[in-house]
Amino acid sequence: MHRAPHASAPARRRRWTAAVAGAGLAVALAGCTASEEVPAASGSANTYLDGVLSTPTHTSLNPLQGDIDFATMTVRNHRQAVRLSEAYLAKEDVDQEVRDIAEGVRDQHAARIDELSRLLEGWGAAVPEEEPEPSAEESSTLSPGEEEAQLSAQDTADMRAGLLTASDRAALESVGGEDADRTYLLQLHRLLQGAVTVAGNELQSGTDDSGKKAAQGILDQNRTAMQR
């Protein structure tokens, strides 16, 4: 299988990304379905990486904080899925069946972003801004230790939501044909699984009925997409 070149990243990001991609490829080649990965609406917590990520907790100051975290993370996740699908659809030499999947993901996720944004506004929370692509020229005013701690916390949150790194996104841009089909499906599966995990935690510990209803819709939608 052709390995697409990608931009350099910190070693800890490369190791984690390679591990997840390899695991996803093994699942894809084995023909496994996603039904075994979907968390139930009740019972034990199901996280993206067992022992690393835990179910979000609510604070006494804001009982809706868990719902807000769910919606915020899912908006970020879905925006990446839309951008990933648009990048794939811009290619000409790709599989028609996969193209159909990408069109469905683009349209369904865009509608879900609007729904979650309205929920956030109704809860008095800010809708996350569009995230710019990371730049190698960006400088930081933090000390090396502070910057490392901040990146570690963000990495944990991003892993939980299945988010892609800049180098992941560059991998799709540099390939075409069957390599583009495989790369898109692997990265899409990762995003779908991340959204499933976040939604499952919302169903287990969320406090707002509208948030739970949205979470159930995401679980149902992503089950179908992951199995396909």
Side-chain angles (χ1 to χ4, degrees), residues 38-44 46 199-206 212 215-216 219 223:
V38 178
S42 60
S44 60
N46 183 356
N201 284 335
E202 169 67 8
L203 285 175
Q204 292 173 10
S205 60
K212 290 192 171 192
Q216 186 62 60
L219 285 178
R223 279 192 184 103

Side-chain angles (χ1 to χ4, degrees), residues 160-179:
R160 182 170 168 270
L163 299 187
L164 305 174
T165 66
S167 59
D168 294 330
R169 297 190 291 274
L172 179 61
E173 294 173 1
S174 62
V175 294
E178 291 184 358
D179 287 335

Side-chain angles (χ1 to χ4, degrees), residues 203-224:
L203 285 175
Q204 292 173 10
S205 60
T207 60
D208 185 90
D209 289 342
S210 296
K212 290 192 171 192
K213 181 179 179 181
Q216 186 62 60
I218 289 168
L219 285 178
D220 295 341
Q221 178 178 298
N222 283 17
R223 279 192 184 103
T224 301

